[in-house]
Each structure stands twice: as structure tokens, then as C-alpha cells.
Amino acid sequence: MARRPLPRILSTGSAQIARSRELARTAADGATDVLHPLITITRGLRRLASAGRRRWAETPKDKRGPLLFLAASVILIVALVPYGPLLAVVTLMAAAAWQGRDRTPPAPEGPDESQIQRLQVLYEALVPYFSTAEDPSPLYAHGGDWEKVFPTQEFDDADRVTHLVIRYPAYFPDGEAASRARIEQLLAAKSGRGREYLFVWDEEGNELTVSVLTPLPTDISAQRFVTAPGETVLGFTDPSRVQRTLPLAFGEDRRDVPPVVWRTGIRSTEPHLLAVGQPGSGTSTLLRSLALQALQYGDVLIVEGGGTGEYACLAGRDGVLGIEVGLTGALAALEWAAGETERRLIAANHARQSGHAPPDDTKRPLWIVLDRPTAFTHLAEADGCKDPQSLLQVPLRHGRAAAVTVVMAEQFDALDSLSDAVRQHTRARVVLGPASRGQLETVLGAPPHTTPVDQVPPGRGYARLGSGPVHRLQVPATPDPYDDATSDAHRRAVLDLLPPRSTPADTQSPPVPVEAVVAE
């Protein structure tokens, strides 16, 4: 979505303020250049005066009298000598100019020895990939000059590469994903592991730009996001990847952060979502965040296969139709969801044929949230029951027209147990936690634009909506408020988002009442 333009008054005022600041900055720079000699002499006089005060303080009291007599004699002689005062002033100004000079050592114009060694190592490592025996004038050769292929380089305080432009020969197959992946993996290993690198390939200019990405913020907690109905925030990403920002609260401060917005509803091209990750990667946090956002405008039905009570805080809340953790309850809930989807389709069809608007109860969003549904698949096979995933075919196939959204979370080791309908219709994908490049490409359908790292905080990963680009993602912290490991700030943030209770909590009720948790 394009960034919304500001009102004309605000945009014009901002432009005038920017021009005023630029004029003030230019005037200040010009005044500094003109007054630079005076500034230097003033600084020197201040340093000379400080040195004189230190010398006077260090002089013993019994020697201060002779020192004053000597200074007075020198001043008297200078005053009696022809042109003495003028020469004294000139000498004092020269000494002040010398003492007031800028003593900051000039920045080195090129890389130092340690940085040169790193660049030479990178150059030698790229030789087997960017050279052939048939090249009469190779750009890469063992013992060659790295300055010809690295025109731009930047380093951090630890002398590790942060920005590098690499030239490569035209015959390198930069259009092949496998060839690119080999180069990116090599550069990430040689430039320093544990960091995320962005690779930009310029196929026309035969240049590769390598940049180190700053980590995404992890201090974003659950809160009300400024979104329209049908828009759901999956998390937050790099500013250069999206053209929209959301105002967020960080304690008492507020700042704009670029979000990854997932659009659901009738006009959505990706009406259902699948999140994949390892245990502890944050998939349940993502589902809890989506459920809290969905409850603003619709109803939520939760089916939890893990049986860990991650969603007990939602039990009995307004808009929560049920939280099922057993096979029997999951089958009954999903059968009702399939029947509800069909009822909505039939009611909307009859209304359109009669020339009326669809009933309101068919337009209210219904969210079906499933956490680890394959756990029920194994139980159903053991009990000889129907696989609960088979009941998802109707909501997945016709959910967009019926305002029904299916959100699933599963682990990598259980992906083979997902049904074909789930794989086919969940075109919005999220991968959280550490994952290899092959796993990311398998789930997302395309490789990420950055190098995945082995150690990531919970809720960090990648997201892809349909056939769109792959975004880096950080899910807002939405932990279980009844977990003892949850901090007070995060517990308060989640409790503030919960709807009021409409019915007493059933067997899925939290271990302690809300009032007790709030009092803590």
C-alpha cells in the first residue's frame, strides 16, 4: 500500500521547516569558515591561560615572589624596547594559534593492515568461483589485486565488513539461484557469522553489493495497532521493504515502525496462513497476537493440539467461540466450522439472488486458529476416527467468500503430515526461529533476500504473502499472561487487550483469576 499523503497544510509547513533548517545550517557552516581563525586563537588563548594557572598552582609558595618579580621585569623590558608591545602581541597570537590548532588525527584514507588482510582473504576465497582457465585477462587470480574488484568497502569497530561492493566477470551465471547461493554463503562465512547480510545483485553492471542489516527491534510488545478492518499485523520488518509505518508505543515514547500487514476477507488473495517453526520459536505467540487482533472485529475458534494451555487467557472471553484441546472437541468444533461456512455461503447466495445484501451474520469475520493440528491426526489414526484436517477443506476452499479465515501453526518435523488442502490454500506463510535456507525455500516458496542465522530471538523469522517478496519479520511479544516466566510489562500489555468475559471459564480456565494476576 502506498504511503498516505499528509494534508496540504502539514506537508507545506514541513517543507518550509526543512528549507529553514537547511538555510540555517548553511549559514552556520559559512560563519564557521569565516570565523575559523578567531575560533582557533580563542581556543589557544584558553589553553595557554589554563597552562598558566596550572603552572602557578604547581609553584611552591616560597618561589612565587621571585617568579612574579621575574615576570614583571620581562614585561617592563618589553614595554621599553622599540616595537616591543607589538612584537609581544604577535608572539602571543602565534603561540595561541599553535596551541589552538585542531589536534584530531586525520582519518585514514584507506583500509588499515587488518582490514586489508580481510579483503585479501575474501578475494582469494572468491577466485575459484569468479575465474576460469579460458579467461585471457582474469579479474580474479590467486595473488591478484583486490583493489580492482572491491571499489567500495566499509568496516565496523571490530574491522569486520559492513558494506562491500564486489565486481565480478560477466560470464558468471548470476541468473542461477544455486550460483548466487554459493557466493552468498561464502561471503557470509568469511565476513563474520552471526549477522544478517543483504545481497543486491546488479546483473547489468556485474556488481554485487553486500550490506550488514541491523537487527529488528525485539522490544515491541502487544498493543492496539492502527489498522483498518481486514488488516492484521503479522510483525515488523525493515524500512526499505515496505512503504507504510505504524505508530507504536515503547513505554512513554512513540515511534513509527514498518509493519508486515496481512489482508483477509473477500478481496484477499491470501485468505489463510500457515506458520512453521521449531519449539520455542514463537509460533504460538504469533497465533495469540492474531487472535487478539481478530477479536476486535470478529469471532475466534481455537483448536490446540499441543495441549499446553497456551490460550487459556482467552477462555470465556467475548468473541471466543471455544478452545478445544481434545480430539472429540476438535472434531466437533471443526464440523461446526465446516457447516457454518456452508450456511454462510448458502445465505449469501440466496440474498444475492433476491437482490438483497448478504445478512450481517455472514459478513462477521470468523477465525479458525489451529495450533499443531497434526497431533490430532495421529490420535485419530490410533482411535480409528476421522482426521480433523479433512474437515478443513470447506473452510479452506470457500472461506474467503464466507469471511472465514484459517490460521495454522505447525513444526518442521510434522510438515509431511499436513493435508494437500492445507498446503494448497495456505498461501500466506511465516517461518519463525532458526531454519536452513532449504527449509525456508520449501515453506515460503522462494529464498529469503538475507542470510539466515543460527541464533535468533523468539518471534524472529521470515514472512511471504502469496507470490510477494520475502520479508524479515519480528512478531510483537504476546506471551501467555498466566506463564510465570512472563514479565509484568508484557503480562499487563496482553491483559489490557483481552475482551471482557461473557461466560464463566470452563475446564480450560486459567490457573489463577485475572484479578489476581492484575494485582501482582
Side-chain angles (χ1 to χ4, degrees), residues 56 59 63-75:
W56 178 259
T59 302
K63 295 182 180 181
R64 291 182 179 180
L67 181 60
L68 284 175
F69 178 76
L70 178 61
S73 301
V74 171
I75 294 174

Side-chain angles (χ1 to χ4, degrees), residues 312-338:
C313 61
L314 296 172
R317 303 284 178 177
D318 288 346
V320 180
L321 303 180
I323 302 177
E324 303 296 340
V325 296
L327 177 60
T328 303
L331 288 172
L334 294 180
E335 286 181 358
W336 174 87

Side-chain angles (χ1 to χ4, degrees), residues 374-398:
T374 57
F376 293 119
T377 301
H378 301 296
L379 294 176
E381 291 178 357
D383 295 345
C385 301
K386 182 187 300 185
D387 184 1
Q389 292 189 66
S390 62
L391 301 173
L392 293 173
Q393 292 189 10
V394 174
L396 287 172
R397 294 176 185 272
H398 308 288

Side-chain angles (χ1 to χ4, degrees), residues 28 35 143 327 370 402 424:
L35 300 176
L327 177 60
L370 302 100
Q424 181 179 358

